[in-house]
């Protein structure tokens, strides 16, 4: 059984923390485009699991992108969530 600690998470703040983690971890230059709609979007989730999922998604985008990567993260209150990068 997994114990979940559900709490409100501000998505934009979680993304900002993830981006800083990825920047520190990677030596190549990465440009991030982030679109959160609305800006104060909140999800109710276990923060540890949510942050792990977010970090894995963005880390994979960084890992598999070329030099001078551009990573776009889009999420909104309408059920859509995307992290993508243009293939080289």
């Amino acid at each position: 059984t997994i114990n979940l600690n559900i709490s409100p998470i501000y998505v934009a703040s979680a993304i900002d923390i993830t981006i800083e983690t990825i920047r520190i971890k990677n030596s190549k230059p990465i440009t991030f485009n982030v679109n959160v709609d609305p800006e104060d979007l909140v999800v109710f989730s276990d923060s540890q699991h949510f942050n792990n999922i977010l970090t894995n998604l963005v880390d994979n985008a960084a890992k598999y992108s070329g030099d001078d990567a551009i990573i776009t993260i889009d999420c909104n209150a309408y059920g859509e969530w995307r992290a993508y990068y243009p293939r080289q």
Side-chain angles (χ1 to χ4, degrees), residues 2-9 43-50:
I2 297 174
N3 291 327
L4 299 176
N5 296 314
I6 306 299
S7 62
I9 300 168
V43 295
F44 290 87
S45 179
D46 181 286
S47 64
Q48 181 178 0
H49 292 292
F50 183 83

Side-chain angles (χ1 to χ4, degrees), residues 3-86:
N3 291 327
L4 299 176
N5 296 314
I6 306 299
S7 62
I9 300 168
Y10 286 91
V11 174
S13 295
I15 291 171
D16 288 343
I17 292 167
T18 299
I19 287 172
E20 288 309 311
T21 301
I22 299 303
R23 284 190 197 279
I24 291 168
K25 189 175 176 181
N26 286 277
S27 59
K28 66 182 175 183
I30 302 173
T31 300
F32 288 94
N33 298 318
V34 178
N35 304 303
V36 179
D37 180 29
E39 291 179 12
D40 61 349
L41 180 62
V42 173
V43 295
F44 290 87
S45 179
D46 181 286
S47 64
Q48 181 178 0
H49 292 292
F50 183 83
N51 290 328
N52 285 343
I53 292 167
L54 183 58
T55 299
N56 286 341
L57 287 171
V58 178
D59 188 45
N60 284 341
K63 187 185 308 180
Y64 296 110
S65 62
D67 296 333
D68 297 325
I70 300 171
I71 297 173
T72 301
I73 302 169
D74 286 322
C75 58
N76 61 53
Y78 314 107
E80 297 178 12
W81 179 277
R82 289 180 224 116
Y84 58 93
Y85 63 94

